[in-house]
Structures are given as structure tokens and as C-alpha cells.
């Protein structure tokens, strides 16, 4: 029987916490990386690591814990879920240090982890970047967030062209989910994010997916034979 192991980022809350619970329900041992630890669970090994610190992540990757955890697996799942919305607002309002931190977390960290997992000698490696409609549609005030998610989409497209045996990569938009990030969006200053009313309406009209439902669909798709056939996908169409 296949031995599946998973690596998950941003498991301390929201969709990440729901994915961690779903992996546990499937009995999949998981190595979870986040700045703050999440709820303890069976089969969950936690690493407190600030993924916006690229040097710290590079040092951790060089330390051998990832390879040690994945030893004995026949299928490896990497779920790049961690991300941040800030900075929000027109370019002139964006602090350069916030821009650097956002790109390190939203882009550099998933690409670094993807490279590390791709190098693991396992027959079946599956990498999912949790992307967003913001990577495919530009929104005012979200230049940094949109650029980061678009980078993940294009990374998946380019990685697919490598045709590496046993490696599947997909940048997957999960839909609109009722998480802390959505609460941040609804609390945004309309001067910084003019489309706030649209997201308020989604909440009021009950159009937000629950983290648990989204996590269930995401893991089902990630484990399916269809995963990776399209390098950029939307979970609502899967």
C-alpha cells in the first residue's frame, strides 16, 4: 500500500488548519510549517518557522529535517498554503519592507519548498500552490498580492514544461472561503481597496465556502488521478 506523507504551510488557522485536520482524518502524516504552532493532532509534526524569512527557511531546508520526515514515503504532497494579504492600497502607500515580506512569504517560500520537494527521490511528488482569483484578475489596492499569486500560477506552468518524471504541480484557486483573510478584506479602508463592498456582499449572501468544505475538496483533488493535468486550475471547476 502507498505510503503518503504531506508537507503543509500555514496550518495554524483558517484553510491551513482545515487542511491539517483533513490530512489527519485520512491518516496522512504531516509536517506542518508556520510562524506559530497550530492545534496538535495525531500524525502532525510541527515546525515553528517564519516563512517570510528566506534565510531562515534556506537554513532549515539545508538541515535535513525535511528529507528525514519524508523517508519511506512513496507519495509526497506539498501544500503551499501560507500567505498574506498586506500591504493593501495604492503603490505610494505600500511600505517597502512590507512588500519584501509579502513577496518572501507568498512567492519565495513556496518556490523554495517546491524545489526541495522536487529533489526528493520519491516516485510520486505532488505540489499544490494555493493560488487565488487575484492571480488571474487585477484588483485595485492589491498589486502585491495579485503579483504574488500570478507568480505562483506561472511557476506551475513553467514547472509543468520540465516534464519531470513523477512530479505534478498545480496552482489552484480554491474559491472564496470564510477565513480571517476575508475578515481583513471586509475591514479594509475603502480608499485602499475600492472593491470592499463586493466582498461584504459575498458574506452577507452566504456565498463563502467553509474552510472544512474547501479542505475536503482540495485534498480529494490533490489525491486524484486528474491532479496536475492542468498546471493552473480552479477548485470550483475540479
Amino acid at each position: 500500500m502507498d505510503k503518503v506523507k504531506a508537507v503543509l504551510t500555514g496550518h495554524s488557522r483558517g484553510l491551513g488548519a482545515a487542511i491539517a485536520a483533513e490530512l489527519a482524518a485520512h491518516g496522512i502524516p504531516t509536517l506542518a510549517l508556520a510562524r506559530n504552532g497550530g492545534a496538535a493532532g495525531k500524525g502532525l509534526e510541527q515546525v515553528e518557522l517564519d516563512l517570510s524569512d528566506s534565510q531562515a527557511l534556506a537554513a532549515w531546508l539545508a538541515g535535513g529535517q525535511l528529507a528525514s520526515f519524508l523517508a519511506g514515503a512513496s507519495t509526497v504532497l506539498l501544500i503551499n498554503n501560507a500567505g498574506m494579504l498586506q500591504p493593501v492600497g495604492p503603490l505610494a502607500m505600500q511600505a517597502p519592507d512590507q512588500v519584501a515580506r509579502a513577496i518572501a512569504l507568498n512567492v519565495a517560500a513556496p518556490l523554495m519548498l517546491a524545489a526541495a520537494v522536487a529533489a526528493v527521490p520519491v516516485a510520486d511528488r505532488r505540489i499544490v500552490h494555493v493560488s487565488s482569483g487575484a492571480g488571474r484578475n487585477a484588483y485595485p489596492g492589491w498589486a502585491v498580492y495579485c503579483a504574488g499569486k500570478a507568480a505562483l500560477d506561472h511557476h506551475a506552468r513553467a514547472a509543468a514544461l520540465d516534464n519531470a518524471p513523477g512530479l505534478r504541480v498545480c496552482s489552484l484557486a480554491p474559491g472564496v472561503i470564510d477565513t480571517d483573510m476575508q475578515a481583513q478584506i471586509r475591514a479594509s479602508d475603502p480608499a485602499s481597496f475600492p472593491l470592499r463592498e463586493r466582498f461584504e456582499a459575498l458574506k452577507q449572501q452566504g456565498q463563502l465556502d467553509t474552510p472544512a468544505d474547501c479542505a475536503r475538496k482540495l485534498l480529494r483533488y490533490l489525491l486524484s488521478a486528474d491532479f496536475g493535468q492542468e498546471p493552473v486550475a480552479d477548485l470550483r471547476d475540479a
Side-chain angles (χ1 to χ4, degrees):
M1 183 176 180
D2 288 348
K3 178 65 173 178
V4 182
K5 292 186 178 182
V7 180
L8 168 67
T9 67
H11 71 291
S12 60
R13 59 184 180 175
L15 178 59
I19 294 171
E22 189 68 17
L23 289 165
H26 281 73
I28 298 174
T30 300
L31 182 66
L33 313 177
R35 186 174 57 178
N36 301 307
K42 185 177 180 182
L44 182 70
E45 183 176 330
Q46 301 188 69
V47 175
E48 290 193 18
L49 182 63
D50 184 354
L51 295 171
S52 68
D53 185 339
S54 298
Q55 289 187 330
L57 176 55
W60 180 80
L61 287 170
Q65 187 175 356
L66 179 67
S68 177
F69 173 79
L70 296 177
S74 55
T75 296
V76 170
L77 313 176
L78 170 60
I79 305 168
N80 281 315
N81 166 73
M84 62 184 293
L85 180 63
Q86 298 297 331
V88 171
L91 295 186
M93 295 175 58
Q94 297 171 7
D97 61 336
Q98 281 195 330
V99 173
R101 183 167 182 263
I103 294 302
L105 178 61
N106 293 352
V107 182
L111 269 56
M112 292 166 71
L113 288 164
V117 166
V120 173
V122 172
D124 184 11
R125 291 146 296 152
R126 305 184 181 203
I127 298 170
V128 60
H129 299 318
V130 176
S131 186
S132 168
R136 299 153 203 185
N137 301 282
Y139 295 126
W142 281 12
V144 175
Y145 186 71
C146 288
K149 293 303 184 182
L152 296 183
D153 287 357
H154 220 45
H155 177 263
R157 292 185 183 103
L161 296 177
D162 290 341
N163 293 315
L167 178 66
R168 311 185 201 186
V169 184
C170 177
S171 191
L172 182 68
V176 189
I177 312 161
D178 198 2
T179 62
D180 289 347
M181 185 176 286
Q182 282 294 313
Q184 288 180 39
I185 293 168
R186 294 192 299 273
S188 297
D189 180 350
S192 298
F193 184 56
L195 299 182
R196 190 184 79 174
E197 287 187 5
R198 179 188 299 181
F199 288 84
E200 289 176 334
L202 291 173
K203 175 70 171 178
Q204 293 166 0
Q205 296 166 9
Q207 295 185 39
L208 302 182
D209 206 359
T210 68
D213 283 345
C214 182
R216 189 160 41 250
K217 294 177 208 172
L218 187 150
L219 188 58
R220 182 173 63 239
Y221 181 58
L222 180 54
L223 293 171
S224 74
D226 291 336
F227 181 78
Q229 290 185 4
E230 296 295 334
V232 175
D234 191 309
L235 190 57
R236 290 166 292 190
D237 302 327

